[in-house]
């Protein structure tokens, strides 16, 4: 049996079901691993002692029919967890403990999972590097000088460092897929309406979607099966027939038509990404798929449209943080003074920038010129996808225009930071499902991802394509492997020392 923390979710589940390993042993192993990886700063709030208690309780009377039996899982700190602090990476929610549970996390606990802790993220999920978090930046376990991506950076970092066997993130404009790509992991952004938004701290409500992040496609399918349910508590939740994604997973993608959009060949795209993309098409051909050249003519307008729609919705959603009802409050001389002080001290720079942009584009006089126009562009982008989906079953693109960048490299240049979302935001604007899978490394050995975009509600299809490609790609997160082996060596050395000492 593999070292516990390096096991894939499905291996752990199997081992629990065969009673080869207990929930307590698994939980202890991940806690131990987390304690040794503190410098990554993946956690905002640990829930270790409650997790251990739950694990012991599970072992006393294990229900082995559950899909995640006694499996400890850490989640992005954007999901409200009943009785456990939920900050959204912000000072303004530093002291907020919800009295209710998000539907997505509730689904996981109902299927036997145990909350290990809350993972770091960009403040209110606004960012592409996890550097906007009030709780500090997160390191990429591939190389500690690199960002893990964002906004689900803590989730991706924890997953790649084996701190959690699987995790969930949220994706408004790429926050699951981009960090997955930067850390050599898998991330699925489901169709809008597939996973309930109830109990997720809102950023941009027409774009936000929760989804699984995992070490391989099979684990991703299993978690998607658990979290995707219709929910009457979310008015945008959609009641459609969901697949049993993991048991229906197949590598047979023969005859599938996969589109390659010419507009994604952007200026200045590194040669390595171009090569990776071509390799991806070759793998698909080897699997019996047919490659079709397609055009998505409005792709260029997706990024500007996103950076109008998302801040507009954010400015409206974040109006609720006023220091009156909950969260941080800074005392003022009068009510208006209190509002102003609370919001300028409670929100970080990036969040304030978005609130200002959002308020501006929604203000009378500018609404038509910016917000309304962006919504029209959004519709054109959606139409582009509808048109090509008459000809193809899915689309293959790179996940990001570069590999992980250095901590601090883009933090003072918002536009260059926003450009990182170029391949991911069209998917959110059109409400489509898309998955990023690790597909290779650049010259420095840093992971690069490929993105498979599907038709609405066609998660099974993109999971299947990803599953088939995963086998051909046979990606090994070499640097992480090295990192893990090295820490294991230190651990073994310590055991040896201890034995000599006690003799
Ligand atoms: N990086 C994008 C942004 O900052 C996407 C964020 C997200 O998907 N939550 O808006």
């Amino acid at each position: 049996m593999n070292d516990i923390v390096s096991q894939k979710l499905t291996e752990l589940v199997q081992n629990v079901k065969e009673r080869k390993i207990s929930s307590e042993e698994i939980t202890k192993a991940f806690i131990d691993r987390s304690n040794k990886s503190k410098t990554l700063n993946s956690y905002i709030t640990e829930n270790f002692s409650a997790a251990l208690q739950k694990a012991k309780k599970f072992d006393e009377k294990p229900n082995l029919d559950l899909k995640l039996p006694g499996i400890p899982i850490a989640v992005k700190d954007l999901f409200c967890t009943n009785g456990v602090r939920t900050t959204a990476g912000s000072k303004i929610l530093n002291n907020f403990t919800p009295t209710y549970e998000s539907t997505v996390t509730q689904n996981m606990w109902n299927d036997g999972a145990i909350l290990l802790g809350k993972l770091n993220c960009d403040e209110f999920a606004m960012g592409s590097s996890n550097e906007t978090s009030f709780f500090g930046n997160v390191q990429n376990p591939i190389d500690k000088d690199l960002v893990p991506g964002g906004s689900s950076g803590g989730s991706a970092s924890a997953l790649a460092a084996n701190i959690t066997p699987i995790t969930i993130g949220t994706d408004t404009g790429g926050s699951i897929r981009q960090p997955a790509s930067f850390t050599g992991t898998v991330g699925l952004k489901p169709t809008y309406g597939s996973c309930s938004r109830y109990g997720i701290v809102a950023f941009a409500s027409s774009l936000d979607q929760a989804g699984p992040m995992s070490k391989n496609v099979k684990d991703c399918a299993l978690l998607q099966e658990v979290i995707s349910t219709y929910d009457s508590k979310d008015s945008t939740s959609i009641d459609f027939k969901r697949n049993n994604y993991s048991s229906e997973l197949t590598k047979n993608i023969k005859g599938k038509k996969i589109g390659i959009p010419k507009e994604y060949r952007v200026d200045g795209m590194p040669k390595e990404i171009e090569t990776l993309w071509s390799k991806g098409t070759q793998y698909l051909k080897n699997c019996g798929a047919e490659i079709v050249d397609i055009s998505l003519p409005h792709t260029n307008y997706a990024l500007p449209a996103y950076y109008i729609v998302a801040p507009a919705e954010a400015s409206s959603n974040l109006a609720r943080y006023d220091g009156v009802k909950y969260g941080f409050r800074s005392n003022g001389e009068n009510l208006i003074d209190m509002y102003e002080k609370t919001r300028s001290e409670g929100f970080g720079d990036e969040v304030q920038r978005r609130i200002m942009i959002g308020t501006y584009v929604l203000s009378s006089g500018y609404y038509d010129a910016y917000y309304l126009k962006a919504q029209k562009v959004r519709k054109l982008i959606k139409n582009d996808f509808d048109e090509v989906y008459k000809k193809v079953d899915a689309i293959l693109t790179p996940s990001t225009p570069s590999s992980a960048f250095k901590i601090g490299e883009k933090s003072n240049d918002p536009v260059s930071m926003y450009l990182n979302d170029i391949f991911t935001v069209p998917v959110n604007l059109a409400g489509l499902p898309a998955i990023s899978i690790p597909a290779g490394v650049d010259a420095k050995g840093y992971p690069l991802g490929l993105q498979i975009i599907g038709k609405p509600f066609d998660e099974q299809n993109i999971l299947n394509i990803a599953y088939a490609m995963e086998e051909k790609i046979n990606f090994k997160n070499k640097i992480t492997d090295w990192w893990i082996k090295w820490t294991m060596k230190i651990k073994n050395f310590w055991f040896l020392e201890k034995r000599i000492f006690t003799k």
Side-chain angles (χ1 to χ4, degrees):
M1 202 169 28
N2 262 339
D3 162 35
I4 293 177
V5 295
S6 357
Q7 286 182 35
K8 308 289 184 286
L9 172 72
T10 33
E11 278 176 85
L12 288 171
V13 170
Q14 182 78 14
N15 285 328
V16 172
K17 291 198 171 180
E18 289 172 7
R19 309 298 293 269
K20 288 189 182 147
I21 192 167
S22 68
S23 171
E24 188 182 348
E25 282 171 283
I26 301 177
T27 308
K28 274 191 174 151
F30 281 103
I31 292 174
D32 187 42
R33 178 86 191 156
S34 306
N35 284 334
K36 292 205 170 77
S37 316
K38 292 233 189 254
T39 50
L40 293 175
N41 200 26
S42 310
Y43 277 103
I44 290 179
T45 304
E46 297 168 349
N47 192 43
F48 296 165
S49 55
L52 260 180
Q53 264 177 17
K54 287 226 164 96
K56 283 183 192 153
K57 214 160 157 216
F58 177 88
D59 290 334
E60 278 165 21
K61 233 175 132 203
N63 179 350
L64 302 176
D65 295 330
L66 299 174
K67 286 182 181 153
L68 304 171
I71 306 291
I73 300 176
V75 304
K76 183 176 185 176
D77 201 19
L78 207 70
F79 294 88
C80 285
T81 41
N82 195 351
V84 179
R85 180 168 81 131
T86 300
T87 70
S90 182
K91 178 177 175 182
I92 217 157
L93 287 176
N94 192 11
N95 60 3
F96 173 57
T97 301
T99 51
Y100 58 95
E101 187 76 28
S102 88
T103 298
V104 159
T105 46
Q106 189 60 55
N107 288 346
M108 289 163 58
W109 321 143
N110 289 349
D111 243 316
I114 293 168
L115 175 66
L116 200 50
K118 308 295 292 290
L119 298 169
N120 210 335
C121 58
D122 278 301
E123 186 178 6
F124 285 98
M126 297 175 195
S128 308
S129 62
N130 214 125
E131 291 168 294
T132 71
S133 168
F134 172 65
F135 301 91
N137 66 281
V138 173
Q139 292 177 348
N140 188 331
I142 304 293
D143 179 332
K144 65 176 180 23
D145 294 331
L146 300 179
V147 302
S151 62
S152 312
S155 300
S157 168
L159 185 63
N162 288 342
I163 285 173
T164 181
I166 191 148
T167 184
I168 45 172
T170 60
D171 192 313
T172 303
S175 283
I176 288 177
R177 291 159 288 156
Q178 186 253 21
S181 176
F182 279 12
T183 53
T185 55
V186 175
L188 170 70
K189 182 254 162 207
T191 309
Y192 185 77
S194 159
C195 296
S196 170
R197 289 185 301 109
Y198 176 79
I200 301 177
V201 176
F203 164 11
S205 307
S206 76
L207 301 159
D208 298 345
Q209 189 54 201
M213 302 173 77
S214 61
K215 294 180 195 166
N216 66 14
V217 175
K218 203 167 181 190
D219 287 0
C220 185
L222 178 60
L223 190 56
Q224 175 63 7
E225 195 173 301
V226 170
I227 64 174
S228 172
T229 52
Y230 168 67
D231 183 13
S232 59
K233 286 188 271 187
D234 168 8
S235 61
T236 56
S237 172
I238 300 175
D239 196 3
F240 67 98
K241 200 191 155 304
R242 287 154 170 87
N243 295 53
N244 288 318
Y245 299 108
S246 65
S247 50
E248 291 175 45
L249 204 57
T250 166
K251 288 179 187 152
N252 181 3
I253 56 162
K254 226 170 156 201
K256 292 276 177 207
K257 292 197 171 76
I258 315 289
I260 307 294
K262 62 169 192 260
E263 291 78 8
Y264 279 61
R265 210 153 265 129
V266 292
D267 286 346
M269 183 155 88
K271 191 93 202 88
E272 293 150 324
I273 298 207
E274 185 88 46
T275 313
L276 180 86
W277 197 8
S278 315
K279 264 196 200 153
T281 57
Q282 196 50 51
Y283 291 138
L284 285 167
K285 280 187 198 157
N286 297 347
C287 295
E290 192 188 318
I291 303 299
V292 184
D293 286 328
I294 55 164
S295 171
L296 294 164
H298 296 95
T299 301
N300 254 344
Y301 305 106
L303 204 61
Y306 171 85
Y307 275 98
I308 287 176
V309 174
E313 294 184 15
S315 76
S316 145
N317 272 326
L318 270 57
R320 73 191 72 175
Y321 304 105
D322 55 9
V324 175
K325 296 176 280 292
Y326 55 93
F328 168 78
R329 173 191 292 184
S330 180
N331 290 325
E333 293 188 351
N334 52 44
L335 187 63
I336 301 292
D337 194 39
M338 187 278 282
Y339 285 157
E340 281 178 6
K341 284 202 174 125
T342 297
R343 287 169 67 81
S344 41
E345 289 167 28
F347 290 134
D349 290 350
E350 182 61 25
V351 172
Q352 294 195 35
R353 181 179 296 123
R354 306 249 184 150
I355 292 174
M356 283 193 285
I357 295 173
T359 309
Y360 178 80
V361 299
L362 286 176
S363 58
S364 69
Y366 295 104
Y367 180 92
D368 287 349
Y370 294 105
Y371 183 71
L372 198 64
K373 189 166 262 162
Q375 288 291 24
K376 287 179 180 166
V377 171
R378 183 176 186 176
K379 180 73 181 138
L380 292 173
I381 289 164
K382 170 84 170 75
N383 291 350
D384 282 356
F385 281 108
D386 289 347
E387 207 44 48
V388 299
Y389 279 137
K390 291 179 186 157
K391 292 188 291 214
V392 299
D393 301 299
I395 296 167
L396 182 78
T397 74
S399 303
T400 51
S402 72
S403 62
F405 44 89
K406 288 224 152 58
I407 293 171
E409 191 181 320
K410 295 184 199 275
S411 44
N412 293 324
D413 183 355
V415 174
S416 91
M417 187 73 88
Y418 297 167
L419 280 168
N420 218 263
D421 305 330
I422 196 157
F423 299 143
T424 48
V425 295
V427 166
N428 301 73
L429 289 169
L432 302 172
I435 188 168
S436 175
I437 53 166
V441 289
D442 67 4
K444 290 173 254 143
Y446 301 158
L448 296 168
L450 283 174
Q451 169 176 242
I452 306 154
I453 308 172
K455 296 179 183 177
F457 311 113
D458 216 9
E459 276 79 355
Q460 187 71 61
N461 186 37
I462 57 169
L463 283 163
N464 291 347
I465 296 169
Y467 195 38
M469 286 184 77
E470 180 180 57
E471 187 180 42
K472 298 270 181 241
I473 295 169
N474 191 21
F475 179 84
K476 296 261 182 311
N477 219 342
K478 291 205 184 75
I479 305 181
T480 305
D481 278 348
W482 173 86
W483 191 73
I484 290 165
K485 270 186 216 133
W486 188 242
T487 46
M488 288 310 295
K489 261 193 199 148
I490 294 171
K491 201 171 138 193
N492 290 342
F493 180 69
W494 184 77
F495 275 135
L496 197 72
E497 286 270 82
K498 209 168 128 188
R499 253 189 317 196
I500 295 167
F501 187 72
T502 42
K503 259 186 187 171

